[in-house]
């Protein structure tokens, strides 16, 4: 019901670009270019947490891109899921190559806490992942979303934590839901999130997936998983240039 009301409101109420405030458009051409106008790149936080897979990002988390992500996540601008999903799909392609390997691409969204999802009225990462999977399928890449990760214990709010604090906070916090390991064994697993900062969340997600897929169950010819995000901290882009 809440999603329906937000979508209806976007049709009948005045809109402005989520990135810059330009009237009568939800995302202007300039801000769309900031989001997905450049090829995605591999990014790496510093320090890099143990177990973090290779991560590709579409754009630095700053200026218009930051505003667009926050508008979708915190203000329920659901129409932005399309362009954000296309940016994520580009990151997935950059990290997995153009040709398929073994089976479809399995996009595994990093889970949000239930309290955060309830407060927002939607799960932003899962919504973006669905849009990304649709974009990948339109381009001929078989893809599906597998929301098999879940939190097995409560974690603290990460907003005030540094890299070490986030690693401690998240250690052992995620698991693959029962039966999920059978689904993960039939394709190329790509962990997806909207944002990479310290990399702790994706590293913990990779640990959970790797433990659910022992070596003798993992499809031959690939690692346990790759990772893709819409955006990453500017410092992760800077480090990758060196």
């Amino acid at each position: 019901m809440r999603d329906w009301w937000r979508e209806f409101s976007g049709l009948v109420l005045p809109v402005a670009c989520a990135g810059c405030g330009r009237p009568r458009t939800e995302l202007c051409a300039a801000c769309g270019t900031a989001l997905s106008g450049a090829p995605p790149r591999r990014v790496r936080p510093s320090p890099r947490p143990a177990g973090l897979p290779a991560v590709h990002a579409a754009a630095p988390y700053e200026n218009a891109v930051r505003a667009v992500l926050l508008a979708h996540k915190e203000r329920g601008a659901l129409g932005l899921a399309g362009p954000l999903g296309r940016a994520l799909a580009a990151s997935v392609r950059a990290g997995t190559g153009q040709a398929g390997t073994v089976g479809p691409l399995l996009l595994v969204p990093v889970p949000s806490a239930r309290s955060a999802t309830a407060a927002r009225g939607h799960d932003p990462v899962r919504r973006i992942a669905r849009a990304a999977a649709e974009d990948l399928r339109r381009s001929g890449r078989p893809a599906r979303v597998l929301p098999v990760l879940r939190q097995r214990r409560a974690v603290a709010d990460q907003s005030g934590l540094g890299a070490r604090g986030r690693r401690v906070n998240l250690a052992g916090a995620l698991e693959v839901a029962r039966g999920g390991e059978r689904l993960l064994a039939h394709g190329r697993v790509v962990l997806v999130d909207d944002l990479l900062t310290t990399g702790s969340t994706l590293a913990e997600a990779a640990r959970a997936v790797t433990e659910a897929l022992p070596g003798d169950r993992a499809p031959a010819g690939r690692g346990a998983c790759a990772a893709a995000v819409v955006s990453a901290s500017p410092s992760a882009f800077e480090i990758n240039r060196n």
Side-chain angles (χ1 to χ4, degrees):
M1 179 65 72
R2 189 178 300 181
D3 285 0
W4 174 87
W5 172 247
R6 282 174 174 158
E7 291 173 359
F8 178 76
S9 299
L11 293 175
V12 300
L13 298 178
V15 297
C17 175
C20 66
R22 181 173 298 177
R24 294 189 297 277
T25 178
E26 195 165 32
L27 184 67
C28 73
C31 292
T33 298
L35 177 64
S36 56
R41 295 172 49 190
R42 184 169 176 176
V43 292
R44 186 179 73 253
S46 181
R48 179 180 179 177
L52 180 69
V55 186
H56 283 76
Y61 186 64
E62 58 188 0
N63 305 325
V65 172
R66 180 179 183 274
V68 169
L69 278 168
L70 288 176
H72 176 260
K73 177 183 285 188
E74 306 297 349
R75 299 201 300 276
L78 304 184
L80 295 171
L84 290 170
R86 289 190 290 274
L88 179 60
S91 296
V92 172
R93 292 187 190 95
T96 59
Q98 291 299 319
T101 52
V102 179
L105 295 173
L106 307 176
L107 307 189
V108 179
V110 171
S112 300
R114 290 183 180 179
S115 58
T117 300
R120 292 168 178 149
H122 73 125
D123 186 328
V125 176
R126 190 179 297 190
R127 185 178 293 276
I128 294 171
R130 289 199 299 264
E134 291 175 4
D135 187 82
L136 289 163
R137 289 193 296 269
R138 283 195 296 269
S139 68
R141 298 292 303 274
R144 58 183 297 203
V145 178
L146 289 183
V148 296
L149 282 174
R150 66 182 183 185
Q151 291 188 339
R152 62 182 175 189
R153 64 168 177 80
V155 297
D157 182 0
Q158 301 230 110
S159 59
L161 300 177
R164 183 178 182 280
R166 291 190 178 203
R167 288 196 301 272
V168 172
N169 185 43
L170 289 167
L174 299 180
E175 66 180 356
V176 172
R178 182 174 298 179
E181 68 280 358
R182 293 193 298 273
L183 300 174
L184 293 171
H186 298 288
R188 175 74 186 272
V189 177
V190 185
L191 301 170
V192 296
D193 205 349
D194 56 352
L195 174 65
L196 176 139
T197 50
T198 67
S200 299
T201 303
L202 284 172
E204 170 60 15
R207 180 206 59 77
V209 167
T210 300
E211 288 186 1
L213 281 177
D216 59 348
R217 292 283 305 279
R222 67 171 178 90
C225 58
V229 296
V230 175
S231 184
S233 61
S235 61
F237 276 84
E238 291 295 333
I239 290 171
N240 193 45
R241 292 192 182 103
N242 297 331

